[in-house]
Amino acid sequence: MTALAGRKVGDEVLFYAEKKFVARARIIGLFDNRALAEAVWGTDENQKTWQHIMALDDVTEFAVPAEPVLRGLGVPVPLRSLTLVGAEERLRFLDMVDPAGPARAKVNPPSSGSGAGLGRHDLLRALASLKTHTREQRSSRHKPITLLWAIGRLAAGRERMVEWPRFRQEVAPLLRDFGLADSRVTPEYPFWHLRSSGLWDVAGIEDRKETPTPSRLAEEGASAGFSQDAAKVLRRSLARAEAIGLICSTYLSELDREALLERVGLAGYASASGGLPDGEVDRGRVPRRTRTSSQPVRDSQLVERIKVMYGHACQVCGARIETQHSHYSEAAHIRGLGGPHYGPDRLSNLLCLCPNHHVEFDRLAIYIDEDWAVRRNSTGKIEYKLERHVDHVIEQEYLEYHRGLCGRG
Ligand SMILES: [Zn+2]
């Protein structure tokens, strides 16, 4: 079991078969459960089983030759394999799975009773109706900024609940730098009052009417964070993208979204590609160290195919840019290839766009509706109808993800 010793929630796992990496996924839960392990894998001749279990999300399939990667890491080739239970089969085992552990589950009822069975739409509805202080018709940004910070923690696989001293240390600078100019930096306000959203837990302190003072919070050892139900929903990639898009566009539209998202560890959510636009030139973004080694590999044949299919004409505006000897267009992934989006590299996730519409699509200035209307995000007005080739199937699910990022989920 030494191979699994260092793994933790939030880590990425690569799947390996026949000398290739065939998929990647993110760990959203770790637990030991012998009964479940026996049901899935059985036991070996010594009655042993494989009870260390990982729950995974954000699964993306691909095929990358493994040998160069493994040699680079100094890992022996080939690897041993792990067994997976697929989505449908998993239902059979679902009620055996209790990440909290069977003993604890019997003692404690689920943490937030009223929030049981919270779904994606409930979460978005709650986020859309936050109660915020309003002063001179501008609402305070304390709660939305804190929520983005908390989503950033979940996305990084960090603990859901945070003790007050750390909360203040991390949230106060955000409120100072991104709050309204005339607003006081009072991290105790969102720490305590986000409970009214129905998505937030405060633990370790007695309930009371007035906001506890910072020293009280410290003395009593209070901690706060998303409720278990909200955290569970936010660990799913579509809900997370939608939540971030909604919070930014509803409460923080006058703010430099890119700067704030970068500060809370969600930089990739400021654009549809998640990084540099599809391997083209850097369009004025500040270069970031973390990107240099994580550019996803894209299939150049697919890029060629989409451009040829449309004869280099932009699917949004129809423009066909002439060059001396040919034409120029760009292949845009609808759901970005790189982290944090991990969209697939396939034709159904690609558009042929002119450079202007590529930038507008990537930077969330335009989005595409279910009926293929191309709308401007700032006004919601229809500007174009998306051109579609008969052989080009575009998956609605990727457009839905992009709309989520646009705050149109
Ligand atoms: Zn165009």
Side-chain angles (χ1 to χ4, degrees):
M1 283 298 128
T2 49
L4 301 177
R7 86 222 140 113
K8 58 185 186 304
V9 170
D11 279 352
E12 291 206 336
V13 183
L14 288 172
F15 295 93
Y16 174 89
E18 295 170 354
K19 298 180 183 170
K20 287 194 179 102
F21 287 119
V22 294
R24 107 184 110 200
R26 184 177 300 281
I27 302 180
I28 57 167
L30 292 167
F31 47 97
D32 287 352
N33 185 330
R34 187 179 168 93
L36 173 66
E38 279 183 11
V40 176
W41 295 289
T43 54
D44 65 15
E45 61 277 1
N46 301 317
Q47 298 305 305
K48 285 194 172 154
T49 183
W50 295 266
Q51 65 195 49
H52 300 282
I53 297 166
M54 298 185 269
L56 302 169
D57 194 8
D58 285 339
V59 182
T60 310
E61 291 175 43
F62 48 74
V64 179
E67 201 167 322
V69 181
L70 292 173
R71 289 209 191 287
L73 292 169
V75 175
V77 184
L79 286 177
R80 282 184 313 167
S81 61
L82 294 171
T83 311
L84 271 184
V85 174
E88 275 154 43
E89 215 192 340
R90 132 191 175 282
L91 291 173
R92 265 177 46 216
F93 302 109
L94 206 59
D95 56 358
M96 302 178 72
V97 178
D98 171 27
R104 219 187 112 200
K106 271 174 206 147
V107 182
N108 296 331
S111 76
S112 30
S114 61
L118 184 89
R120 192 177 121 222
H121 293 286
D122 304 318
L123 176 99
L124 295 176
R125 217 171 296 127
L127 290 175
S129 52
L130 284 184
K131 292 189 198 84
T132 52
H133 270 323
T134 311
R135 187 194 280 178
E136 290 162 11
Q137 276 134 47
R138 301 176 80 201
S139 47
S140 143
R141 294 171 179 162
H142 285 59
K143 285 181 178 178
I145 289 172
T146 303
L147 289 172
L148 287 178
W149 165 82
I151 294 173
R153 286 184 60 91
L154 292 181
R158 296 168 72 193
E159 290 279 310
R160 180 175 65 85
M161 297 296 280
V162 187
E163 292 192 345
W164 165 250
R166 174 171 285 275
F167 181 96
R168 177 162 66 178
Q169 189 192 347
E170 295 189 11
V171 173
L174 294 172
L175 299 180
R176 187 189 63 218
D177 297 347
F178 296 98
L180 293 175
D182 55 356
S183 174
R184 288 197 307 131
V185 177
T186 49
E188 62 275 19
Y189 170 76
F191 184 95
W192 186 250
H193 290 286
L194 265 172
R195 292 180 307 164
S196 66
S197 67
L199 305 171
W200 192 258
D201 283 350
V202 175
I205 184 167
E206 217 177 277
D207 198 6
R208 64 190 86 198
K209 278 218 179 77
E210 74 284 10
T211 315
T213 59
S215 51
R216 235 353 324 119
L217 291 173
E219 274 164 36
E220 296 198 28
S223 59
F226 276 115
S227 68
Q228 267 186 29
D229 289 326
K232 195 167 143 197
V233 178
L234 283 164
R235 288 198 180 97
R236 306 201 64 86
S237 57
L238 174 60
R240 186 158 71 227
E242 288 178 327
I244 294 165
L246 186 147
I247 293 168
C248 287
S249 57
T250 310
Y251 305 103
L252 304 169
S253 57
E254 295 163 38
L255 203 72
D256 182 345
R257 176 198 279 230
E258 295 187 18
L260 174 58
L261 290 178
E262 174 155 28
R263 279 276 293 277
V264 299
L266 297 171
Y269 289 93
S271 74
S273 61
L276 299 176
D278 288 345
E280 312 278 350
V281 284
D282 185 350
R283 291 170 214 285
R285 269 179 92 112
V286 182
R288 283 163 190 138
R289 268 172 298 159
T290 50
R291 290 231 179 82
T292 50
S293 60
S294 59
Q295 285 302 304
V297 184
R298 62 202 311 242
D299 182 342
S300 57
Q301 283 185 353
L302 276 181
V303 170
E304 252 343 276
R305 259 175 77 194
I306 190 93
K307 291 178 176 182
V308 166
M309 189 179 263
Y310 288 93
H312 293 284
C314 175
Q315 283 180 259
V316 171
C317 67
R320 196 163 173 256
I321 297 172
E322 206 179 289
T323 62
Q324 174 68 14
H325 300 291
S326 177
H327 289 85
Y328 178 83
S329 60
E330 295 182 357
H333 283 92
I334 301 169
R335 178 169 176 163
L337 271 195
H341 309 309
Y342 301 116
D345 199 15
R346 36 176 103 112
L347 214 56
S348 59
N349 187 32
L350 276 174
L351 296 174
C352 175
L353 298 178
C354 72
N356 284 354
H357 284 118
H358 189 181
V359 173
E360 288 199 336
F361 186 80
D362 185 44
R363 296 309 175 80
L364 315 176
I366 54 173
Y367 65 94
I368 300 164
D369 250 340
E370 279 163 320
D371 60 359
W372 312 107
V374 180
R375 291 177 186 266
R376 183 144 304 272
N377 199 4
S378 56
T379 60
K381 284 215 178 90
I382 297 180
E383 297 204 336
Y384 299 94
K385 185 101 180 169
L386 192 78
E387 190 63 37
R388 284 172 303 133
H389 190 280
V390 293
D391 296 332
H392 187 201
V393 178
I394 301 168
E395 285 292 343
Q396 281 290 344
E397 121 183 41
Y398 309 136
L399 292 172
E400 186 183 16
Y401 184 91
H402 181 268
R403 285 197 296 273
L405 287 176
C406 289
R408 301 280 180 174

